[in-house]
Amino acid sequence: PWRPWSTRERIERASAPHPETARVTALIPARDEAATIARTLRAVAGQGPLARIVLVDDQSSDGTGARARELALPNLTVVE
């Protein structure tokens, strides 16, 4: 905004959650990634406490979504 020093609005800092209870959702877009999707999903799942992993399969013609479902990760959702 013009003259930002003259605005009165302030954003209050929220208290940060404890690192052990912080939850993250990983959103992964994918198209024709069947050859590498298992490695990618396992790497993401191994990075810490995730609430969910959402794989968005963008009309893949090589079975990316099916390959991801075969992994049976408990926190994985595949969206076509």
Side-chain angles (χ1 to χ4, degrees):
W2 183 70
R3 293 177 39 187
W5 59 88
S6 67
T7 61
R8 295 177 191 245
E9 293 83 12
R10 296 225 189 310
I11 298 174
E12 298 297 325
R13 178 178 284 193
S15 62
H18 193 274
E20 294 176 5
T21 60
R23 305 297 269 175
V24 174
T25 297
L27 180 62
I28 303 172
R31 180 179 169 103
D32 295 335
E33 302 289 339
T36 60
I37 198 64
R39 183 175 52 161
T40 300
L41 292 173
R42 286 187 189 117
V44 171
Q47 290 186 17
L50 297 174
R52 291 186 336 163
I53 301 171
V54 178
L55 176 76
V56 180
D57 183 17
D58 189 13
Q59 301 176 356
S60 294
S61 60
D62 66 349
T64 298
R67 179 68 183 113
R69 285 186 195 91
E70 289 173 2
L71 296 173
L73 295 173
N75 57 345
L76 173 65
T77 303
V78 178
V79 177
E80 299 290 331

